[in-house]
Structures are given as C-alpha cells and as structure tokens.
Amino acid sequence: MNAADAPTVDTHCPYCALQCGMGLRPTGAPEGPGVRVVERTAFPVNRGALCGKGRTAPELLTPGARLTSPLVRDAATGELAPATWDAALDRVADGLRRTGAEHGRDAVGVFGGGGLTNEKAYTLGKFARVALGTSQIDYNGRFCMSSAAAAHGKAFGLDRGLPFPLADVARTGCVILVGSNLAETMPPALRYLTELKENGGRLIVVDPRRTRTAEQADLHLAPRPGTDLALALGLLHLVVAEGRTDEEFIAARTSGWEEARAAAMAHWPEMVERITGIAVPQLREAVRLFCDAESSMVLTARGPEQQAKGTDTVGAWINLCLATGRAGRELSGYGCLTGQGNGQGGREHGQKADQLPGYRKLDDPEARRHVAEVWDVDPDTLPGPGRSAYELLDALGGDIRALLLMGSNPVVSAPRAAHVEERIRSLDFLAVADVVLSETAALADVVLPVAQWAEETGTTTNLEGRVLLRRRALDPPPGVRTDLEVLSGLAARLDREKGFPTDPEEVFDELRRASAGGPADYSGITYERIAAEDGVFWPCPETGAADRPGAHPGTPRLFLDRFATPDGRARFVPVAHRPAAEEPDEAFPVVLTTGRVLAQYQSGAQTRRVAELNAAEPGPFVQLHPRLAERLGIADGEPVAVVSRRGRAVAPARVTGTIRPDTVFMPFHWPGPGRANTLTNPALDPTSRMPEFKVCAVRVERA
C-alpha cells in the first residue's frame, strides 16, 4: 500500500486542553516526520480547525528535532554521552535505590507533567507510591488550575474544568471571561465566543491588557493585576444592592449565603473602583449584562487563578454565579478553561501529592483500601500526602536528594526559576524522560528519550471532562521507548516485576477499576466507546455493557439535579479582598504579569524547535504602555531590563497602548536572559499551593 492509499489515523493535538481532533496521514517521504495533519471536521470540539501549533506538530517527529538515544553523564568529562537502554535504566534504578537506602524513601522525588496521558499519569503515581514508596510526587499541573480545582471542590463538591460541553458557551446569554486570552492560547475555541455574539449573547472580558480576545468583547474591564477578587466581590455587592439575587435558587439549592452576602457587602463600588481601577459605571454595566440575560456563565483561566489568593478569587466568581441562580442549570454556570493538554486527567489519577486515582483523597482510609486492593498491596504501605509542586522543587538538594522527572521543564516554567535551577543542580541524582533535550534535561545525570503523541496510544481528558483517545499513527524511531516501557523497566529493576504493564489499554483497564466509585469514575469508559462516541464525559460508572441499554451514557452536564456535596447543595464560601503577596512600592513601582503568545507553548521546549513557530515569535519581549516608556526614556524595540526582588530579565520593549500604564507583560516561553520566571513570586495560595505567577512588583529600566 502506498502513502496515498494508507488510512488516516484519527487522533488529537499534543498541545492544549482543547485536545483538538486531527487526522494523521502517512506521507511516504523518506525524510521528514512521516505523517501530515489533515482536518477532522467531524470532531465536535474544534470541527477541523487547528492553530499553527497543532498544524506543525509533526515537525517534532523527525529524528533531527528530538532525542533518539539515552544519554548518561560521563563521570570523567562531565558531559552527556549516548548509552544503551540497559545501561541508562540501570543507572537510574541504582541512583533512586541508593538514595532511598541512604536517606530514606522520601529523599526520592517524582515530578510529572500535565501533558502525560491518563495511562502515564496513573502509572507514574503508582510507580512513586509502590515501586519507590515515596510521598514526594507532584506535577506541573499544580501551576495550571489547582486554585480553580480547590474552589470547585469547596463550592460544588467536585472539580471538573467545565461542567458543561464547550458548545454550550455559544448558546448562553452572557459570558464573563476572566483572565483568558483564548484568541492566542486556544484559537479554535474563539469560534464559540464569536457564535455567542452571533446568537445575540454578550461578552465581558476581564484582563489588564486589551488582547485579541478583549477586542471581541462588548465590555472590557481592565483591572490592576491581582485585584480580580475585589472585582468579583464588587459585582456581587451590586447584584445584592440592585435586588438581582435569585432568592428561590439560593433557598432551594445552596447553603452559606448569609455569610457570603455579608462579606460581599463590605466591598462597596467606590472602594472596588479604588482597588481595581475600574470605574463604577463599568461595574454596573457588567452586572446589567450578566443579570439581564436569561442564562449566563463565568469562565476563568490563569489570570485570576495564578495568585496567592487564587482559590478565594475563583470562589468569589462562583458566589456571583450562585447568587444569581447561574449554576446547576442548562447554559449557565462557572467553568475553568484548563491549560495543559491533560491538565484535567493528569491530576485525577495520582500525580498530585494528595490524590489517588479517581480523584480519591490519599488520606481517606476507604480510598486507600480500594486502590491498594487494585494494586495488590497493603494499604498501610502507601505513603501519605507529600509536598506540592513548588515546595517539592524548593526541597531539592535538601530533604530530596534524587528526582525522576517526566514531561516537565521547571528550569523555565517554575516561579523564581533561577532558584529552582540552583536547587536542581544541587541534587545528588537527576533522571529526566523527555522527547527533547530541554533546559532541565540538559542538567540531568541520565536522559531517557521517549515516544511522542503520534507514536503511542493513550487517553487524555480535555477541558470539558471529555475522555479522548490518541491513537498511534507510526512507530517511534529506533532507540526511543514509551514512558510506560520506561516505568516498567525501572520497576523491574526495583524488584517490582509485576504491576507495571506496557500496553496502554491494559493500563487503562486497571485505571478504570481504580477509579470505580470515585468522584472521577472512568469505570464505564472503554477505548471502544471513546472511538465510537467521539469521547465520553466522566463520571461514567460501569452500569452495563456498552452495547446494552444499561450502559451509563456519561455526564456532559454536571449538577443539573444536585451538586456533589453530601446534602446536594452548593456551598457559598465567604471571602474578602486582600492585597497581592507583593505590592508595588518605591523601589519596585510597576506590576509584572506573565502569560502566553500564539506561536509558543508553555516552556517552549517543543515549539521553539519548530521553524515556522519560531519565525512568528522568535524571542521574549516586554510589553509596556507608551506613558511608562516615555517616562523611562525607552523606545520600541530597545532592550529593557525588568528587575524584581528575585532577579533580572532583559528583552526588547514592545510599546503599546493595549496594556495598563502601571503594568508590564512578559511571555514565559524562553530560557536565558529573557526568562520571565526569573522574576515571578513563589508565594503560595494557602489552599491550592498555587504560586503567584500573575502578580509581582518590579522596576523597569533601560538595559
């Protein structure tokens, strides 16, 4: 069969949480990636549309763009050199075993990623707790939507990014989009906002910058970074003062309203205007648009969540939805726009420091018993909760002496990145499994080259809670193994010959059993059902065979009958505004906020290796307002230094009137002198342990 006759393999993009459907068709070319992307118009989320990142994703499948041999650091030269797989795995197992024997099991850490499939995330959590016996596991998804997850849990008793399909967004009456630039971070999703407006709906965008997304808004609110909590409370104050609460809904389906109401009423409009910089008439207009519509939604992203008060901030937006009866009803509710490709599923099945598969709590005796039975271990041998992501990274070289890292690049992506890099360098032993030699992998004692999205089968869970199937379209290059094969090989060397299969469907079947009865119940989902139904929404318990009427249909819309709390009621959580962990002062008078750009993704470890994407956005920059630039004598394109209490970054200036005069913006995709996360503040939310990426005090000066 020639390439033209070869069947197209239906799969999904390796990047963001939309998990856009795409097809892969063999090219037959002797050089190049071996496949090309074709539209998959029938998939309901993106309907064939792809951004440049998805369209160019096969470029990284070429041998020249990625790792194809294990690398082991030579003791004599200090350089990484090619090695056999046996030698590399022996070295990793020896480093992890020796560290545990000398310093205790918790001296070994594991750090995962929100891009790992459900099968890999599940196996990594099991490997940490069973093969290594360590409690010290977390993942970079902690930096994604942990604050929204915590607020979801408090208010609704269950966390799923969107409690409704993305298609519902186009059919509601009003959307408040808080701290999201969908036009650049999830371009195919922008169509839902366009359709919303075409259907007569209204769009309110909350962002300190007038982004491409904000340009689509009927009302753009540009608060000072770090004041989203005050804004939400001010809107709720006006809802109460103007008599726009839904008293029937509050009485029938919620609890805790009086305390939350009293907290909101302490945030009168003029006070909120002083805090946020948003004029009172704009606040009133936002309330009018939101409440006049028959149905409304609030959608948040990293802007309000990546703060040291992110859980309370999201909680305040949820309170606004509950007070107006905009929750637990069709076409209304609160939702979070998950960022990473499997940020949802990655935390549901065991990568987080405090969770077991199925979103079970690690300190729940019944949860431990259930999962231990599936794993065929004594529940008393399972370690307890460990450190959160930044706290784990901060402990490297101290309490944690060895680290196994998969699918993450914290040298670029972690807050206070220079400090994190120093901690990584201080480890006794570091092993990294990745598809490219990232900035973090370059520091490792052993680097393991692993297969990519198109070279292995596995499931992901997108921002809607829709479980999807990525299919293998081609074989990985010689010398490359899957993450499941890596973990199985290491487990065998650590005297765990059984329990770590390499077949992803076998792993998924075990995951189904481990999740059964838990909040994130996948037990009724199979590869066959996913393929037949374009994904299955969890929770989906196993109530019958998929080909019989008794099969559970999955749950596209949550909370329509009851919330997932013991009494079925949503809980108001009283919150009050408080300042950012670090406010501007005389020495650091400007606020820095960070984010993404269209052509790059996360730490850029992959997208920076794609020529087309690099040409579109080749390096870091500092976005600042003309008034600030004039005051500092900075011209557009001139190198500018941004300095915080943690370090200094230098990048060209981009002078634009689309940002607040008291704020500068830097994208965080690059290492080196322009590394934005050199500057960011690791102050943590007390509940979610989310670092305060979005707000820190800086000074700006000519470089």
Side-chain angles (χ1 to χ4, degrees):
M1 180 184 294
N2 61 39
D5 298 325
T8 296
V9 176
D10 285 344
T11 189
H12 295 272
C13 177
Y15 290 112
C16 81
L18 276 182
Q19 287 297 280
C20 291
M22 60 166 62
L24 293 179
R25 184 171 295 163
T27 63
E31 296 181 359
V35 292
R36 65 182 177 90
V37 171
V38 296
E39 287 188 359
R40 185 180 164 193
T41 55
F43 184 66
V45 175
N46 62 308
R47 304 177 221 161
L50 292 168
C51 72
K53 293 186 289 292
R55 183 172 43 76
T56 61
E59 295 298 316
L60 282 168
L61 298 171
T62 58
R66 44 99 64 89
L67 294 167
T68 55
S69 171
L71 303 174
V72 175
R73 195 167 299 280
D74 186 281
T77 66
E79 300 295 323
L80 288 169
T84 66
W85 269 99
D86 280 342
L89 292 176
D90 287 347
R91 177 72 182 88
V92 175
D94 180 65
L96 300 178
R97 181 191 293 109
R98 188 176 64 251
T99 301
E102 293 178 2
H103 302 282
R105 292 189 171 190
D106 277 357
V108 179
V110 176
F111 199 86
L116 301 180
T117 63
N118 290 317
E119 291 80 359
K120 293 190 285 189
Y122 170 85
T123 303
L124 187 62
K126 181 180 180 181
F127 177 82
R129 295 177 174 108
V130 174
L132 296 176
T134 181
S135 67
Q136 301 302 304
I137 175 172
D138 212 81
Y139 82 129
N140 63 14
R142 177 78 66 170
F143 301 155
C144 178
M145 56 174 291
S146 58
S147 292
H152 256 137
K154 286 184 177 184
F156 304 135
L158 181 68
D159 161 45
R160 196 179 84 185
L162 293 180
F164 39 71
L166 195 57
D168 283 3
V169 172
R171 300 167 53 219
T172 191
C174 180
V175 169
I176 302 181
L177 184 65
V178 189
S180 170
N181 183 13
L182 275 180
E184 298 200 44
T185 59
M186 294 180 174
L190 190 64
R191 71 190 316 158
Y192 292 105
L193 300 182
T194 302
E195 291 172 8
L196 165 77
K197 298 188 67 177
E198 290 172 350
N199 292 336
R202 311 302 290 272
L203 174 63
I204 302 168
V205 172
V206 179
D207 198 306
R209 300 187 299 142
R210 188 165 182 80
T211 63
R212 296 181 188 180
T213 308
E215 288 174 354
Q216 311 298 315
D218 297 287
L219 177 63
H220 173 213
L221 306 178
R224 295 186 183 96
T227 64
D228 311 85
L229 175 53
L231 172 59
L233 288 163
L235 296 180
L236 182 52
H237 177 112
L238 286 170
V239 164
V240 175
E242 296 178 5
R244 291 179 175 269
T245 56
D246 187 332
E247 296 297 330
E248 183 179 349
F249 177 87
I250 291 170
R253 299 200 59 191
T254 73
S255 62
W257 167 233
E258 289 305 319
E259 294 83 357
R261 178 184 182 280
M265 295 312 288
H267 298 77
W268 57 94
E270 292 76 16
M271 168 187 170
V272 171
E273 178 179 315
R274 288 196 301 272
I275 293 171
T276 64
I278 297 174
V280 172
Q282 284 191 302
L283 300 176
R284 294 188 184 279
E285 177 66 1
V287 168
R288 185 187 71 80
L289 293 175
F290 188 73
C291 293
D292 281 358
E294 287 190 15
S295 56
S296 304
M297 296 176 179
V298 173
L299 305 177
T300 69
R302 306 301 80 74
E305 298 163 19
Q306 286 182 325
Q307 299 182 30
K309 53 179 181 290
T311 302
D312 284 356
T313 301
V314 173
W317 288 106
I318 291 175
N319 287 348
L320 178 67
C321 291
L322 294 175
T324 54
R326 264 61 173 184
R329 292 173 172 170
E330 285 203 28
L331 305 183
S332 286
Y334 164 78
C336 166
L337 300 172
T338 311
Q340 293 191 81
N342 198 30
Q344 181 72 49
R347 70 181 182 280
E348 292 169 2
H349 299 301
Q351 281 192 103
K352 275 186 75 178
D354 58 345
Q355 287 180 186
L356 288 168
Y359 239 144
R360 288 181 159 92
K361 287 293 185 183
L362 190 53
D363 56 4
D364 177 357
E366 176 54 29
R368 293 169 65 87
R369 183 206 61 75
H370 174 86
V371 173
E373 183 176 334
V374 174
W375 288 352
D376 194 25
V377 298
D378 184 339
D380 291 339
T381 65
L382 296 178
R387 293 176 172 90
S388 71
Y390 179 77
E391 292 165 304
L392 188 157
L393 295 171
D394 190 42
L396 300 181
D399 291 344
I400 300 175
R401 308 298 309 177
L403 182 69
L404 172 64
L405 186 146
M406 304 187 85
S408 187
N409 188 19
V411 165
V412 178
S413 63
R416 198 185 173 196
H419 171 73
V420 169
E421 180 178 348
E422 177 186 311
R423 301 320 308 151
I424 289 173
R425 289 180 181 275
S426 72
L427 283 164
D428 294 343
F429 180 76
L430 172 64
V432 174
D434 210 331
V435 300
V436 297
L437 191 67
S438 70
E439 287 72 24
T440 306
L443 304 179
D445 297 284
V446 180
V447 182
L448 304 172
V450 291
Q452 296 190 55
W453 57 288
E455 300 163 347
E456 59 182 351
T457 294
T459 62
T460 61
T461 306
N462 79 346
L463 77 172
E464 309 165 296
R466 188 193 301 252
V467 184
L468 304 168
L469 183 62
R470 287 188 193 162
R471 295 172 176 85
R472 181 171 178 156
L474 71 168
D475 294 333
V480 172
R481 296 186 181 181
T482 69
D483 293 277
L484 293 180
E485 289 170 337
V486 168
L487 292 171
S488 181
L490 290 175
R493 286 165 171 79
L494 295 170
D495 303 321
R496 291 283 177 177
E497 297 283 349
K498 297 181 179 179
F500 293 90
T502 60
D503 176 67
E505 189 166 9
E506 185 179 347
V507 175
F508 189 75
D509 285 342
E510 184 181 306
L511 180 158
R512 293 171 57 213
R513 298 197 307 275
S515 73
D521 191 333
Y522 282 35
S523 60
I525 304 175
T526 64
Y527 278 19
E528 291 75 19
R529 281 196 65 180
I530 297 171
E533 300 173 28
D534 274 332
V536 181
F537 291 85
W538 71 260
C540 182
E542 186 174 30
T543 57
D547 59 351
R548 294 207 309 268
H552 192 285
T555 315
R557 295 172 181 85
L558 296 170
F559 313 137
L560 296 182
D561 299 318
R562 57 177 284 125
F563 295 96
T565 56
D567 61 5
R569 291 172 172 263
R571 302 187 187 97
F572 282 96
V573 179
V575 294
H577 173 72
R578 59 184 185 273
E582 186 177 79
E583 292 284 345
D585 56 21
E586 187 175 348
F588 301 95
V590 178
V591 174
L592 167 71
T593 192
T594 64
R596 285 172 46 190
V597 295
L598 176 61
Q600 302 289 352
Y601 181 73
Q602 304 301 75
S603 75
Q606 296 182 50
T607 50
R608 284 187 274 114
R609 288 169 166 82
V610 177
E612 180 181 325
L613 301 178
N614 253 0
E617 200 66 83
F621 58 86
V622 180
Q623 190 180 75
L624 67 164
H625 192 275
R627 292 212 299 268
L628 178 59
E630 182 180 7
R631 188 167 77 245
L632 298 173
I634 293 170
D636 189 65
E638 181 181 4
V640 60
V642 182
V643 184
S644 78
R645 290 176 174 85
R646 289 154 295 281
R648 182 176 190 263
V650 177
R654 287 194 185 175
V655 180
T656 173
T658 60
I659 191 170
R660 291 179 56 96
D662 56 4
T663 301
V664 295
F665 167 84
M666 290 187 72
F668 55 73
H669 309 290
W670 290 273
R675 180 174 60 185
N677 278 319
T678 297
L679 309 168
T680 48
N681 190 352
L684 300 180
D685 181 291
T687 303
S688 68
R689 315 310 288 169
M690 168 74 84
E692 189 148 78
F693 286 100
K694 289 300 186 209
V695 193
C696 74
V698 299
R699 66 173 179 269
V700 183
E701 54 198 25
R702 299 178 68 183

